[in-house]
Amino acid sequence: MKNHNITMKTLTVISALFISMFTLSAQDSQKAKTLLNEVSAKVQSYDNIVLDFKYSLENTAENIRQDTRGDASLLGDKYVLNLMGTTQMFDGKKIYTIIPEDEEINISTYVEEDDNAITPSKMMTFYKEGYTYKWDITQNVKGRQIQYIKLTPIDSDADVKSILLGIDKQTKNIYNLIQTQPNGTTITITVKSFKTNQSLAQNLFTFDESRYSNYYINRLD
């Protein structure tokens, strides 16, 4: 179950790469809103998105450092995410978490009203409430101008201390996301490859139970 928990939390962060509609605070709101609206228009124009990313988790105080690669394919609300040897898939109705190491599959029904149920389109509005927003620094990353917007939860007891969303000012695509937790842990998702309107396999978002005859299937409904 450890891998399952990591994947769910990480999915939330990765999905946040596609946040593009915000209700912004007054401070620098117009600049941030203009940029994010441009990102929004671009994201919504794609038929699908396929990306490779680097995932880094670091806690200096605990001397923890973890780096790995992952990939994700998104089509509307449907997605497939591969990370840390675990695959998570959402076919529009059910969420499948496939853990080869344990030969286990967890299946649950998506409930829209569940605050913990995450889909890419839900993440488009996830931060409309509960966060303040601030126009942050601009960094030059190998010739790319990356503009950061800082999101801070209003709830002081939130699991997230802050989120920095980095946007390439020229392409209007997401470059990275940096999430800082109250315990000092920092999770960074950096997009290494961002492709759109790809020819996806017709059954990519379809779960085929016959492929996993030796797996224990845990139906959580």
Side-chain angles (χ1 to χ4, degrees), residues 138-146 148 168 175-176 190:
T138 302
Q139 284 188 339
N140 186 315
V141 180
K142 297 180 180 179
R144 301 169 65 186
Q145 294 298 309
I146 307 301
Y148 285 93
D168 187 317
Y175 168 69
N176 69 349
T190 304

Side-chain angles (χ1 to χ4, degrees), residues 145-190:
Q145 294 298 309
I146 307 301
Q147 176 61 55
Y148 285 93
I149 294 176
K150 185 175 183 179
L151 299 79
T152 304
I154 296 172
D155 183 1
S156 59
D157 295 325
D159 293 336
V160 176
K161 183 178 180 181
S162 66
I163 294 174
L164 280 171
L165 185 67
I167 300 169
D168 187 317
K169 295 179 72 174
Q170 181 177 358
T171 66
K172 302 301 187 296
N173 286 331
I174 303 299
Y175 168 69
N176 69 349
L177 181 144
I178 305 169
Q179 174 183 289
T180 302
Q181 300 174 350
N183 66 357
T185 297
T186 299
I187 296 174
T188 303
I189 304 293
T190 304

Side-chain angles (χ1 to χ4, degrees), residues 24-33 132-136 149:
L24 300 167
S25 63
Q27 184 176 12
D28 294 320
S29 63
Q30 192 54 51
K31 286 195 299 183
K33 187 173 183 178
T132 60
Y133 304 87
K134 180 182 178 181
W135 185 269
D136 210 270
I149 294 176

Side-chain angles (χ1 to χ4, degrees), residues 19 42 67 111 117 137 162 168 181 211:
I19 299 165
K42 198 158 191 178
D67 294 303
V111 180
I137 64 171
S162 66
D168 187 317
Q181 300 174 350
R211 295 178 55 193

Side-chain angles (χ1 to χ4, degrees), residues 3 5 9 15-16 27 32 56 69 79 86 88 99 113 115 123 144 149 156 161 167-168 170 184 189 191 202 206:
N3 282 347
N5 291 332
K9 291 178 180 179
S15 298
Q27 184 176 12
S56 299
R69 292 292 187 101
Y79 64 79
T86 296
Q88 188 170 91
I99 312 171
E113 293 76 17
D115 290 338
M123 289 305 299
R144 301 169 65 186
I149 294 176
S156 59
K161 183 178 180 181
I167 300 169
D168 187 317
Q170 181 177 358
I189 304 293
V191 176
Q202 192 170 9
T206 301

Side-chain angles (χ1 to χ4, degrees), residues 50-75:
V50 177
L51 63 109
D52 296 322
F53 59 88
K54 179 182 177 181
Y55 169 88
S56 299
L57 182 149
E58 184 174 16
N59 187 311
T60 304
E62 299 293 333
N63 196 28
I64 297 173
R65 174 78 188 192
Q66 182 179 30
D67 294 303
T68 190
R69 292 292 187 101
D71 63 80
S73 299
L74 304 99
L75 174 66

